[in-house]
Amino acid sequence: NSVKEIGVSAFSRCTNLIPVDMGNGVETIKDIAFNNCYQLASAPLPQSVKTIGRKAFGNCNALTTVKIPAGVTTVEETAFYDCGNLKTIVLSEGTVAIKQWAFYGCDELESIVLPRSVRTIGGEAVRSDKRVNIYYLGTEQEKQSIAISNKNDSLNSGLWHFNCCPADGIHTYTDLCDANCDDCNAPRTPPHSF
C-alpha cells in the first residue's frame, strides 16, 4: 500500500503477466505502464487511483471488464486502446471527460456505464464492432448536456438506457415484489403493482 505511482513502461510487454494487485495506495498509473500485457486478465483499479495515462492498458487483450474509480476525472486518450476482448466498462461518478480513442479498438465491447458527471466524450473515444448498450445514470434530458463528438459511431448508434444502476447499469431485484434495487437501493420504476 506504500506504492503511489506505477511508472512509465513499468510492466510494458510483460506478456505473461496475468493478474495484478495494485494495493490500495496507487494514485497514478503512468503512460504505457501495462501496455502490451496481452495476457493481463485482471487489473482491479483501487479507489485511490486518480490518473490513468495514455496507453496505460493498451493492447491488454485478455481484459474483459474495467471499473474506473471515482477519483479519475479524465480517462486519457488511448488509455485502454485496442483492448480487443473488453466487454464491460463501468465509469464511476466523478469522471468528467473521456478523451479521444480512450476505448478505441475494443471490438467486443457490449456495455458501458456512464455516470451523470460525464460532460465530454472525445472523437472515437469508444469503438466496438458490436452494438453497445450505454447505461446512463442520468435522465434522457441530462444526456443533452454531454458534449459527444460526432465521431463516435459506437455511442451514437448504441442502445441508450436511462436512470440506470451505478453498480453495473442494470437494476436487480431479488424477487418480483422488491420495491428497491438490490445494488443501489433506488426505487423501482415503474413501481410493482398488484
Side-chain angles (χ1 to χ4, degrees), residues 14-73:
C14 289
T15 55
N16 292 320
L17 190 65
I18 296 174
V20 170
D21 181 356
M22 294 183 219
N24 293 319
V26 172
E27 295 178 0
T28 303
I29 302 169
K30 294 279 197 168
D31 294 354
I32 60 177
F34 294 96
N35 191 49
N36 293 320
C37 292
Y38 304 115
Q39 294 186 49
L40 183 62
S42 176
L45 300 172
Q47 289 302 312
S48 55
V49 171
K50 294 177 177 41
T51 305
I52 302 170
R54 293 182 186 131
K55 287 195 176 180
F57 292 93
N59 295 307
C60 290
N61 289 321
L63 280 180
T64 58
T65 302
V66 170
K67 270 189 127 160
I68 306 293
V72 178
T73 56

Side-chain angles (χ1 to χ4, degrees), residues 120-133:
T120 61
I121 300 176
E124 296 183 319
V126 177
R127 170 69 177 79
S128 175
D129 288 341
K130 299 187 176 221
R131 185 160 188 215
V132 179
N133 281 291

Side-chain angles (χ1 to χ4, degrees), residues 2 23 36 67 70 72 79 91 93-94 99 105 132 152 161-162 177 189 194:
S2 62
N36 293 320
K67 270 189 127 160
V72 178
L91 294 147
E93 191 64 37
K99 294 212 174 167
V132 179
N152 265 306
H161 309 271
F162 300 97
C177 294
T189 308
F194 296 93

